[in-house]
Amino acid sequence: MNESQPAPRLAVVLKGYPRLSETFIAQELKALEDRGFVFDIWSLRQPYDDRTHPIHDLIRARARYLPEYLYQEPLRVLNGWRAARAMPGYAAARRVWLRDLARDRTPNRVRRWGQALVLAAEIDPAAQFHYAHFLHTPGSVARYAALIRGVEWGVSAHAKDIWTIPEWEKTEKLADCRFGVTCTGSGAAHLKALASDPAKISLVYHGLDLSRFPPPPESRPARDGRTEPVILLSVGRLVAKKGYDDLLAALGRLPAEVNWRFIHIGGGPLKDALARHATQLGLSDRVEWRGKRDQTEVIAALRAADVFVLPSKIAGDGDRDGLPNVLMEAASQRVAIVSTTVSAIPEFIGNGLEGLLVPPDAPDALAKGLAEVIGDVAIRTSMAGAAYDRLTREFGMERGIDMLEELLRTALSQPPAAQVA
């Protein structure tokens, strides 16, 4: 490249930034910067967490915020529309959006078009490729803006965005993106079945950047729930798919003589309802809701815990976990894991090997599994060691970043394909 020309740039489109619950995205962005990629971060929403993780302070990219609601910045949206109308792909993009709107007559669909107009107008002209995390709303904004500008786009799909949007939307987005990556084998199989070109879809595990985590403790107290309480820990948003209602039910079914304490880290809309449920079950004196915490505090809690439990399930709207990074974080500190067979969790945790897996929506089975690991220090030690070994052997971050780097560099080096008419 001519040294007088600007370096190729990306535009990274996210639903929200920074977010405590999306350390996998922050880890990826930092790794891409370390490999020489230059980008701005375009967020559809303003931050809502009251703190950030230490890794967010290491990311150099500028964060830009699109109008979260169009009525809040009408002049900005109007200026975006005026600028976008002069761009080569505006008419084609408008046709795509109107076709989408005819099938999805919601304010959300209108909002994504307005955000795309602003993105297309305000983006650095050197940004040659749009890369979105999540196939649903960020994918829509990245797609519309890319069509307007006559550039290409790619997407990293995860969980809710795969399982809760209609098939027509997934099929059409996959048809006109340059590539799609996803972090679970089940998600990759589903998207490949919908893609006109299945080769576009790649399985790319997020993995874990082990350099950000201390070595696991050399030993743990041999607590077995007889005298000292066994410390049960979970980290996750308080939403339906995490299954915390099932966990509370399971804890309520443990034998009275079993000594345990449960600590939860994370926020979410079900916080008050779950706290009331714990009180109704007579568990409130053994349950601690710590709320949102940064990663330094999460790691400290993992090092102090005996068992990490994540009772994931499929929510009523189809939402479900992919492969929760927090399971790998638990493995990094050699904490015994109890979880469920939902989605891609068995891709990392083999039942009885790297952890204990029970069916989702099954409090009785969960209670039985918890009772087993609470009372058997040797089983906990064995499973925790196996999970740590598998993490370090197969689920480090570098392999996934290598694959993503190749996809992005190829996209930046090739001219755009024909745009959707």
Side-chain angles (χ1 to χ4, degrees):
M1 176 180 296
N2 189 316
E3 291 185 1
S4 64
Q5 295 177 335
R9 296 180 67 96
L10 302 169
V12 176
V13 182
L14 306 178
K15 190 172 184 180
Y17 180 84
R19 283 189 169 176
L20 288 173
S21 61
E22 295 177 355
T23 53
F24 61 95
I25 293 178
Q27 154 183 291
E28 178 187 287
L29 296 181
K30 176 64 169 63
L32 291 176
E33 283 191 331
D34 289 345
R35 297 195 181 197
F37 287 93
V38 180
F39 51 85
D40 287 337
I41 298 167
W42 291 87
S43 175
L44 278 57
R45 291 184 177 178
Q46 294 287 328
Y48 57 69
D49 292 320
D50 61 357
R51 67 197 69 200
T52 61
H53 291 306
I55 193 172
H56 289 120
D57 296 332
L58 303 177
I59 295 171
R60 300 182 300 276
R62 176 176 56 163
R64 303 284 302 276
Y65 293 91
L66 296 168
E68 188 164 344
Y69 295 97
L70 304 186
Y71 71 84
Q72 294 174 332
E73 298 184 76
L75 186 59
R76 192 177 174 200
V77 176
L78 178 61
N79 288 338
W81 172 69
R82 286 172 173 164
R85 288 182 66 198
M87 295 182 185
Y90 176 80
R94 185 173 182 273
R95 286 195 295 271
V96 169
W97 170 65
L98 289 173
R99 191 166 67 226
D100 292 348
L101 183 64
R103 294 168 291 185
D104 177 30
R105 294 184 175 276
T106 62
N108 179 67
R109 185 65 60 177
V110 176
R111 185 158 62 247
R112 301 315 164 204
W113 174 247
Q115 290 177 319
L117 296 175
V118 174
L119 175 59
E122 297 183 3
I123 199 170
D124 187 326
Q128 299 176 13
F129 191 77
H130 298 184
Y131 173 52
H133 264 282
F134 297 105
L135 188 58
H136 54 354
T137 49
S140 294
V141 174
R143 179 193 187 203
Y144 296 148
L147 289 169
I148 291 169
R149 299 183 63 230
V151 300
E152 290 196 315
W153 68 289
V155 63
S156 181
H158 301 288
K160 181 177 182 178
D161 54 318
I162 296 176
W163 303 109
T164 64
I165 64 174
E167 291 203 355
W168 64 261
E169 184 169 359
K170 288 180 277 193
T171 299
E172 293 176 15
K173 284 178 174 175
L174 295 175
D176 74 334
C177 68
R178 177 176 277 275
F179 67 78
V181 301
T182 189
C183 52
T184 71
S186 56
H190 178 73
L191 296 180
K192 282 177 179 288
L194 294 175
S196 56
D197 179 7
K200 282 186 177 183
I201 309 301
S202 301
L203 171 60
V204 178
Y205 288 118
H206 298 302
L208 199 67
D209 181 2
L210 292 167
S211 69
R212 296 190 296 108
F213 291 81
E218 293 185 5
S219 63
R220 293 180 182 275
R223 295 184 282 245
D224 61 5
R226 292 190 179 92
T227 53
E228 286 189 89
V230 168
I231 306 302
L232 310 175
L233 173 69
S234 191
V235 181
R237 295 192 67 228
L238 295 169
V239 294
K241 70 179 179 180
K242 297 297 184 180
Y244 289 119
D245 54 341
D246 295 334
L247 177 56
L248 290 176
L251 293 173
R253 297 174 194 184
L254 290 175
E257 64 272 16
V258 176
N259 196 355
W260 57 267
R261 180 180 172 217
F262 173 60
I263 297 170
H264 175 269
I265 293 177
L270 297 182
K271 178 181 179 180
D272 291 342
L274 289 168
R276 287 194 299 270
H277 190 195
T279 299
Q280 291 164 0
L281 292 170
L283 304 176
S284 56
D285 61 336
R286 293 203 275 181
V287 174
E288 179 183 350
W289 307 98
R290 289 190 180 174
K292 297 177 180 179
R293 293 289 185 267
D294 67 26
Q295 195 157 55
T296 301
E297 295 168 290
V298 170
I299 292 171
L302 288 169
R303 294 174 70 82
D306 300 299
V307 179
F308 185 87
V309 56
L310 190 68
S312 302
K313 62 183 178 180
I314 300 176
D317 63 357
D319 190 14
R320 68 200 73 178
D321 276 326
L323 176 53
N325 257 41
V326 71
L327 292 178
M328 290 181 275
E329 293 177 5
S332 80
Q333 300 306 301
R334 281 205 182 100
V335 186
I337 293 170
V338 176
S339 191
T340 65
T341 54
V342 161
S343 193
I345 292 172
E347 295 176 35
F348 176 53
I349 301 295
N351 184 31
L353 299 174
E354 292 86 14
L356 184 65
L357 300 184
V358 301
D361 284 306
D364 284 337
L366 183 57
K368 181 180 178 182
L370 287 172
E372 179 182 354
V373 299
I374 286 172
D376 196 324
V377 177
I379 285 179
R380 294 204 306 263
T381 302
S382 174
M383 292 192 304
Y388 178 78
D389 290 344
R390 188 166 192 205
L391 170 69
T392 56
R393 185 176 66 248
E394 300 178 34
F395 283 84
M397 178 190 68
E398 294 302 316
R399 181 182 301 179
I401 296 299
D402 288 345
M403 296 174 66
L404 186 59
E405 178 180 12
E406 182 177 357
L407 290 167
L408 289 171
R409 291 204 183 280
T410 299
L412 288 168
S413 67
Q414 295 180 0
Q419 296 295 298
V420 174

